[in-house]
Amino acid sequence: MPKIGSVSVEERKERILELLQAEGKVRCAELSRLFSISEVSVRNTLSAMEQEGLVERTHGGAVLASAVKGDRHYLERKGRYTEEKRRIAKQIAGMIQSGETLFVNSGTTTLFVVEELQKLSALTIVTNSIPMAMEFSDHPNFNIILLGGNIDLTHSFTYGDDALAQLRKYRADKLILSIDGISLEKGLTTYYFQEVAINKMMMERVERNIVAADFSKIGAESFSYVTDISQVDCLVTNASANTGELQKLRDAGIEICLA
């Protein structure tokens, strides 16, 4: 395995994920030689990746986390802008109270949010995210309800008429919605057209809609239109987001919280 020159921590994580997809496991000694860093640095990187839900540590190395095996796209999304997503997650967690019922759609940012909510008790979380259900269904403070229906195996979520029929039975205090684009002109958009109907119904059946979008989503437009911004109560994004786009949203009456 040829050595790799100096790379950032995030680039190192991405390379490790590529190796895991190709080989199934990695060993600390081999990664140390590959990146020309100490085994202590390798173990620190793997520990951070384990906390992010990307890998499971083994003796002398790591394997892919069971919740994300076989889902390369999910791994790539979860590893992108990790620190920005974590800051958003902490901000949103401060808006949630014990005992509330939440709708949470699929997405890596929303997964980080649920990780931050573990200190709260008696939360009911209704979601179409398969990784979320797998990772948190046995958490003592959470009652996780996974919507049934069709399964998008590539992106690890459920959708379709059966999922919508089940969702109609519920109402929630808050929705935490992960989207791929938000702007005054284009509204909310997502890459996953199959999830649009789920997102819309979740927004209709809650008291407060909270949109989670890292800085790269502000002013962006993705494949499928969800709704206009009038349906958004609060947008949580990064302070590094486009200030001009944020001001347009503020002027339209959207509450914006910067993380």
Side-chain angles (χ1 to χ4, degrees):
M1 187 181 298
K3 290 186 178 181
I4 295 175
S6 178
V7 296
S8 69
V9 174
E10 291 305 315
E11 289 172 322
R12 189 186 306 160
K13 291 178 182 178
E14 291 177 7
R15 179 58 175 148
I16 291 172
L17 291 176
E18 290 173 359
L19 291 170
L20 285 169
Q21 283 287 337
E23 302 177 13
K25 62 181 179 181
V26 293
R27 298 190 62 80
C28 290
E30 295 171 352
L31 294 176
S32 174
R33 290 191 294 271
L34 175 65
F35 295 111
S36 298
I37 59 176
S38 69
E39 290 194 30
V40 172
S41 295
V42 170
R43 286 193 289 271
N44 289 339
T45 299
L46 293 178
S47 294
M49 293 177 72
E50 185 173 47
Q51 292 177 359
E52 294 167 18
L54 296 172
V55 305
E56 295 173 1
R57 295 293 304 278
T58 62
H59 180 69
V63 296
L64 283 178
S66 57
V68 296
K69 283 180 180 176
D71 188 351
R72 171 64 178 275
H73 187 81
Y74 174 82
L75 290 171
E76 291 175 344
R77 287 184 294 135
K78 195 169 194 296
R80 189 179 299 134
Y81 305 130
T82 300
E83 291 306 314
E84 289 84 355
K85 291 175 181 178
R86 286 199 177 280
R87 288 196 289 270
I88 290 170
K90 289 178 181 179
Q91 185 85 11
I92 292 176
M95 304 176 180
I96 309 302
Q97 299 178 356
S98 294
E100 290 189 319
T101 296
L102 308 176
F103 288 159
V104 183
N105 76 329
S106 72
T108 56
T109 305
T110 48
L111 192 61
F112 284 127
V113 173
V114 176
E115 288 177 359
E116 290 292 331
L117 294 175
Q118 294 183 64
K119 63 181 179 295
L120 299 180
S121 60
L123 286 180
T124 296
I125 299 174
V126 180
T127 184
N128 67 323
S129 168
I130 295 171
M132 194 175 299
M134 293 179 68
E135 291 191 30
F136 300 110
S137 60
D138 62 347
H139 193 283
N141 292 342
F142 295 161
N143 174 30
I144 300 283
I145 299 174
L146 176 64
L147 298 173
N150 300 82
I151 299 176
D152 185 310
L153 292 174
T154 303
H155 305 112
S156 298
F157 62 76
T158 60
Y159 68 98
D161 291 342
D162 288 341
L164 291 169
Q166 184 179 353
L167 184 57
R168 286 190 188 96
K169 299 177 182 179
Y170 309 129
R171 294 197 64 85
D173 298 295
K174 297 181 177 80
L175 163 64
I176 304 169
L177 184 74
S178 176
I179 49 86
D180 297 304
I182 179 170
S183 71
L184 177 65
E185 296 81 6
K186 304 298 182 180
L188 302 183
T189 53
T190 178
Y191 177 81
Y192 310 105
F193 68 91
Q194 303 98 321
E195 200 179 21
V196 167
I198 291 283
N199 292 345
K200 283 185 174 182
M201 185 174 290
M202 284 182 169
M203 296 187 84
E204 293 168 356
R205 303 188 64 78
V206 296
E207 296 298 320
R208 183 168 173 79
N209 290 309
I210 302 171
V211 171
D214 69 65
F215 71 97
S216 69
K217 314 296 177 53
I218 308 305
E221 180 184 10
S222 193
F223 180 64
S224 296
Y225 175 78
V226 179
T227 188
D228 63 74
I229 63 164
S230 66
Q231 302 302 308
V232 178
D233 294 311
C234 178
L235 166 65
V236 183
T237 188
N238 304 115
S240 55
N242 184 295
T243 55
E245 293 291 338
L246 290 179
Q247 190 57 52
K248 291 180 185 178
L249 295 171
R250 286 193 185 93
D251 292 344
I254 306 300
E255 176 187 347
I256 296 177
C257 297
L258 298 180

